[in-house]
């Protein structure tokens, strides 16, 4: 049984911010993000996605991408690509039934920063974009494959093994 | 506290539950009511559908012979 989550993630930014990020990451950035709350956001396994996101969304002039190698134990990770990694389904139910006056990201930050829920890392499929579904035909069988971008939100330094500008 | 401990405590410890509810249930989101409403719909329909593997062909119309590069 898997007891850790390991991944390479990429963060797109402007070159002027690289030194600052490599010196000290501001985990209060993105405070109020609807889905996962504040933290350092990465695209899993995709330099290209990080680069394009920074270009399209932030309109930076001089793009740069920072790669992160991360590792975190299961009990300190929320993995929303699964509903049973670390009680993700139950946590979602808790939010939905009691605290949907807040966004899910706001709720998570309340739990982590004000109610001692010890989570260092959160993983989710990007819900702001549609799934890319493509169809593989194999005689009588039809198989659909769905691709979704995986977002990683680092809540602190603990999961970071190494990181640097590419 | 792990998520499991927090959830168990919420459902078994009435004092903790009431305290958490009184702290959070009255908090104001920084998002507008309509943004919140859309967010709840996003979380409900998209996320539960993803978790329960109910991927509908209507979400994204597929193309035959589509190349992987076009998707990624």
């Amino acid at each position: 049984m898997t007891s850790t989550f390991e991944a390479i993630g990429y963060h797109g930014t402007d070159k002027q911010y690289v030194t600052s990020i490599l010196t000290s990451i501001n985990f209060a950035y993105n405070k109020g993000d609807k889905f996962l709350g504040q933290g350092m956001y990465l695209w899993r396994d995709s330099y290209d996605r990080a680069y394009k996101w920074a270009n399209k969304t932030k309109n930076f002039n001089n793009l740069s991408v920072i790669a992160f190698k991360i590792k975190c134990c299961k009990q300190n990770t929320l993995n929303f690509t699964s509903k049973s990694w670390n009680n993700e389904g139950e946590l979602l139910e808790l939010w939905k039934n009691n605290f949907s006056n807040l966004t899910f990201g706001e709720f998570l930050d309340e739990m982590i920063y004000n109610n001692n829920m010890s989570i260092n890392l959160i993983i989710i499929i990007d819900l702001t974009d549609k799934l890319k579904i493509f169809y593989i035909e194999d005689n009588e069988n039809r198989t659909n494959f769905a691709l979704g971008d995986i977002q990683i939100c680092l809540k602190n330094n603990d999961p970071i093994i190494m990181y640097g500008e590419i | 506290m792990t998520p499991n401990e927090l959830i168990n405590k919420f459902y078994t410890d009435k004092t903790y539950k009431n305290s958490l509810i009184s702290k959070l249930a009255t908090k104001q989101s920084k998002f507008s009511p309509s943004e919140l409403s859309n967010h709840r719909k996003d979380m409900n329909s998209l996320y539960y559908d993803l978790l329960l593997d109910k991927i509908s062909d209507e979400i994204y119309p597929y193309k035959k012979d589509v190349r992987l590069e076009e998707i990624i």
Side-chain angles (χ1 to χ4, degrees), chain A residues 25-38:
Chain A
I25 297 171
N26 177 13
F27 291 100
Y29 191 64
N30 276 320
K31 196 164 189 168
D33 177 272
K34 266 186 251 175
F35 294 104
L36 301 183
Q38 69 184 62

Side-chain angles (χ1 to χ4, degrees), chain A residues 32 34 80 87 92 94 96 100-101 104 106 110-111 115-118 127 131-133 142 144, chain B residues 1 4 10 20 23-25 27 29-31 36 39-40 44 47-48 50 55 57 59-60 71:
Chain A
K34 266 186 251 175
F80 287 100
N87 298 98
L92 194 59
L94 186 73
K96 187 169 167 282
S100 60
N101 53 300
F104 190 58
E106 288 169 331
E110 282 290 337
M111 293 296 107
N115 289 282
N116 300 316
M117 187 168 75
S118 43
L127 296 176
L131 287 178
K132 287 92 176 163
I133 299 176
R142 169 184 151 150
N144 289 334
Chain B
M1 217 184 331
N4 187 48
F10 184 84
L20 200 60
K23 264 202 292 183
L24 296 194
K27 263 196 187 277
S29 170
K30 74 169 236 187
F31 294 92
L36 258 179
H39 173 69
R40 286 187 210 115
N44 275 334
Y47 189 58
Y48 277 119
L50 286 172
I55 297 170
D57 286 345
I59 292 175
Y60 190 87
I71 300 290

Side-chain angles (χ1 to χ4, degrees), chain A residues 48-73:
Chain A
D48 190 57
R49 193 71 176 88
Y51 187 92
K52 284 179 178 167
W53 175 86
N55 189 27
K56 185 180 163 188
T57 315
K58 295 288 186 178
N59 225 14
F60 290 134
N61 291 324
N62 195 7
L63 293 173
S64 185
V65 176
I66 301 172
F68 288 73
K69 186 173 180 180
I70 58 175
K71 182 177 178 176
C72 191
C73 65

Side-chain angles (χ1 to χ4, degrees), chain A residues 67-134:
Chain A
F68 288 73
K69 186 173 180 180
I70 58 175
K71 182 177 178 176
C72 191
C73 65
K74 185 176 179 177
Q75 68 183 39
N76 296 126
T77 304
L78 285 173
N79 183 356
F80 287 100
T81 65
S82 159
K83 72 168 181 175
S84 55
W85 175 271
N86 195 6
N87 298 98
E88 287 79 6
E90 289 89 336
L91 201 59
L92 194 59
E93 293 269 3
L94 186 73
W95 164 76
K96 187 169 167 282
N97 295 333
N98 298 281
F99 304 111
S100 60
N101 53 300
L102 302 171
T103 64
F104 190 58
E106 288 169 331
F107 164 74
L108 284 175
D109 281 349
E110 282 290 337
M111 293 296 107
I112 292 168
Y113 297 109
N114 299 325
N115 289 282
N116 300 316
M117 187 168 75
S118 43
I119 292 297
N120 300 330
L121 179 68
I122 308 179
I123 304 113
I124 197 169
I125 287 177
D126 181 17
L127 296 176
T128 62
D129 202 1
K130 295 180 195 288
L131 287 178
K132 287 92 176 163
I133 299 176
F134 64 98

